[in-house]
């Protein structure tokens, strides 16, 4: 009754309280959305860094594969030259032994 005499409307107070609660909820949702956007940005950057790392590793693997192929080809050539040299030395040795025994 004292409130009615003062001209205070309880419905206005309830409505203001509801508006304030909704406003607090909206503000907290905005803060949460901003936080999620920050996390999304960080994740996007992390994915880009991971992709760059993968790309660099793939390039390194390709370079290593090329180097290994060149090394293997060179090694095969060296083995072939060694086989020819051993065969030549063997033939010379057989000929030398044959002529020395006569």
């Amino acid at each position: 009754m004292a409130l009615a005499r003062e001209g205070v409307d309880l419905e206005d107070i309830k409505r203001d309280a509801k508006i304030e609660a909704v406003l607090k909820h909206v503000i907290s949702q905005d803060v949460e959305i901003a936080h999620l956007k920050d996390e999304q940005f960080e994740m996007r950057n992390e994915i880009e860094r991971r992709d760059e790392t993968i790309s660099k590793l793939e390039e390194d693997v390709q370079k290593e594969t090329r180097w290994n192929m060149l090394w293997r080809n060179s090694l095969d050539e060296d083995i072939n030259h060694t086989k020819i040299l051993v065969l030549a030395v063997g033939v010379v040795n057989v000929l030398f032994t044959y002529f020395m025994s006569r």
Side-chain angles (χ1 to χ4, degrees):
M1 290 289 194
L3 292 176
R5 274 188 250 136
E6 298 278 330
V8 175
D9 186 12
L10 290 177
E11 291 301 318
D12 286 342
I13 293 173
K14 287 181 185 177
R15 189 176 20 220
D16 289 345
K18 287 180 182 178
I19 290 172
E20 187 176 333
V22 168
L23 186 59
K24 284 182 181 178
H25 181 70
V26 168
I27 290 172
S28 70
Q29 290 296 316
D30 284 347
V31 169
E32 184 66 25
I33 288 171
H35 177 70
L36 291 173
K37 283 183 179 180
D38 288 343
E39 283 185 10
Q40 181 183 22
F41 181 75
E42 290 174 10
M43 291 174 83
R44 193 174 296 140
N45 286 341
E46 186 176 327
I47 288 170
E48 287 175 4
R49 284 192 301 270
R50 186 203 62 189
D51 289 345
E52 288 173 5
T53 302
I54 289 172
S55 176
K56 287 178 184 177
L57 289 173
E58 287 173 345
E59 288 174 10
D60 289 347
V61 166
Q62 288 176 351
K63 288 177 185 175
E64 189 69 26
T65 301
R66 274 187 245 126
W67 173 252
N68 285 342
M69 288 174 59
L70 291 172
W71 176 255
R72 185 170 187 165
N73 289 341
S74 174
L75 194 59
D76 288 342
E77 288 177 17
D78 290 345
I79 289 171
N80 289 335
H81 291 138
T82 304
K83 286 178 183 178
I84 292 170
L85 182 65
V86 168
L87 180 64
V89 169
V91 168
V92 169
N93 192 16
V94 166
L95 291 174
F96 182 75
T97 306
Y98 175 74
F99 287 121
M100 289 300 285
S101 67
R102 286 189 139 221

